[in-house]
């Protein structure tokens, strides 16, 4: 696919923020610049590109989760100068990982509503499909704790692939609760429609 002259979706979103440093940028404005110049379609993953500007490029883009001055669907770039990007991810030491797996009984330690996922390495995943592979997860997100000890088994847990992804995308470390809004935001149009119908019926509209 040929590169568009107007830059990638991420570059276009960044440009929008850079021309509005310190000012509120709305979801509609972002979607407008994210739109494919040819097909005029808004890419479904625009929100992912926005996250990358934060996590991979270090831009301090606030949302309503960061400040009460912003409402849902409003964003603000605080400074044109990106902050330091979280350094190289710290890898768990091999003996520590062995110990973490031993303590976990070689099963995923994700807990939801007080229930543990418990899928064991090598089993087939009844929800996500495929074979369960456990990987080390630092309990505190790297973004908020750069001081990670690769040798302390207490800092780590074993998670299956599905729950690694879920934690990364959909877990709000500030509240310790599922980030329902982000989940719906990332869902397909079809799923969004289903949620929309559910909410309408839930609220009796
Ligand atoms: Zn799991």
């Amino acid at each position: 696919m040929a590169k568009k002259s107007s830059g990638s979706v991420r570059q276009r979103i960044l440009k929008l923020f850079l021309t509005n440093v310190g000012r509120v940028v709305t979801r509609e404005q972002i979607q407008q610049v994210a739109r494919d110049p040819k097909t005029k379609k808004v890419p479904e993953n625009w929100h992912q590109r926005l996250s990358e500007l934060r996590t991979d490029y270090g831009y301090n883009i606030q949302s309503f989760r960061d400040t009460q001055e912003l409402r849902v669907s409003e964003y603000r770039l605080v400074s044109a100068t990106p902050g330091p990007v979280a350094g190289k991810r710290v890898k768990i030491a091999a003996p520590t990982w062995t110990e973490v797996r031993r303590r976990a009984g070689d099963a995923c330690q994700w807990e939801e509503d007080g229930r543990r996922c418990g899928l064991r390495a090598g089993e087939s995943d009844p929800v996500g499909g495929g074979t369960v592979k456990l990987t080390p997860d630092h309990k505190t997100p790297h973004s908020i704790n750069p001081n990670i000890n690769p040798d302390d088994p207490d800092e780590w847990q074993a998670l299956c692939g599905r729950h690694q992804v879920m934690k990364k995308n959909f877990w709000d470390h500030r509240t310790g609760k599922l980030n329902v809004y982000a989940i719906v935001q990332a869902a397909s149009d079809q799923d969004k429609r289903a949620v929309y119908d559910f909410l309408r019926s839930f609220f009796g509209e």
Side-chain angles (χ1 to χ4, degrees), residues 108-110 117-119 159-160 162-163:
C108 174
Q109 294 175 282
W110 179 268
C117 164
L119 281 180
L159 291 182
C160 72
R162 193 153 43 80
H163 285 133

Side-chain angles (χ1 to χ4, degrees), residues 55-125:
T55 55
D56 300 349
Y57 294 81
Y59 285 101
N60 185 3
I61 298 172
Q62 298 177 318
S63 75
F64 72 97
R65 292 190 198 96
D66 307 301
T67 168
Q68 295 189 337
E69 292 165 35
L70 296 174
R71 286 172 298 186
V72 172
S73 302
E74 289 185 342
Y75 303 88
R76 183 171 60 196
L77 175 62
V78 176
S79 161
T81 314
V85 175
K88 238 176 65 197
R89 288 180 77 85
V90 176
K91 282 217 179 85
I92 191 170
T96 316
W97 178 222
T98 305
E99 172 63 11
V100 169
R101 283 182 69 148
R102 193 192 63 76
R103 291 183 186 183
D106 226 14
C108 174
Q109 294 175 282
W110 179 268
E111 268 182 36
E112 212 170 297
D113 296 332
R115 266 181 46 211
R116 184 167 277 212
C117 164
L119 281 180
R120 294 173 65 89
E123 278 181 350
S124 60
D125 181 345

Side-chain angles (χ1 to χ4, degrees), residues 144-156:
I144 58 171
N145 176 18
N147 304 313
I148 292 161
N149 186 349
D151 301 312
D152 181 1
D154 290 339
E155 287 189 19
W156 301 81

